[in-house]
Amino acid sequence: MKQTAEERDEIIARAVAQARQNIIEMNAGPMKHTLRKRARLEKKLSKRR
């Protein structure tokens, strides 16, 4: 069975939406401060390069 382009696009869009939702949930959790700290460190390290 071959997928049509529309079906494939729909599947991809659904997967992307699910991934975004998971990321939003993770960012809202107890790791929020860790993510912020990591972002700050990355920014500082990228300035040195």
Side-chain angles (χ1 to χ4, degrees):
M1 187 173 100
K2 192 154 171 65
Q3 287 180 335
T4 64
E6 291 86 23
E7 286 175 330
R8 192 168 50 243
D9 290 345
E10 185 183 327
I11 291 168
I12 291 170
R14 204 177 305 135
V16 168
Q18 186 65 44
R20 278 203 185 113
Q21 189 61 38
N22 290 344
I23 290 169
I24 288 169
E25 286 175 20
M26 286 172 71
N27 287 350
M31 292 290 288
K32 191 188 271 185
H33 66 285
T34 308
L35 290 169
R36 233 184 263 136
K37 187 159 63 169
R38 181 181 293 163
R40 203 168 50 236
L41 278 171
E42 289 288 334
K43 192 175 172 186
K44 194 164 84 175
L45 288 173
S46 67
K47 277 185 186 174
R48 288 189 194 157
R49 288 187 204 139

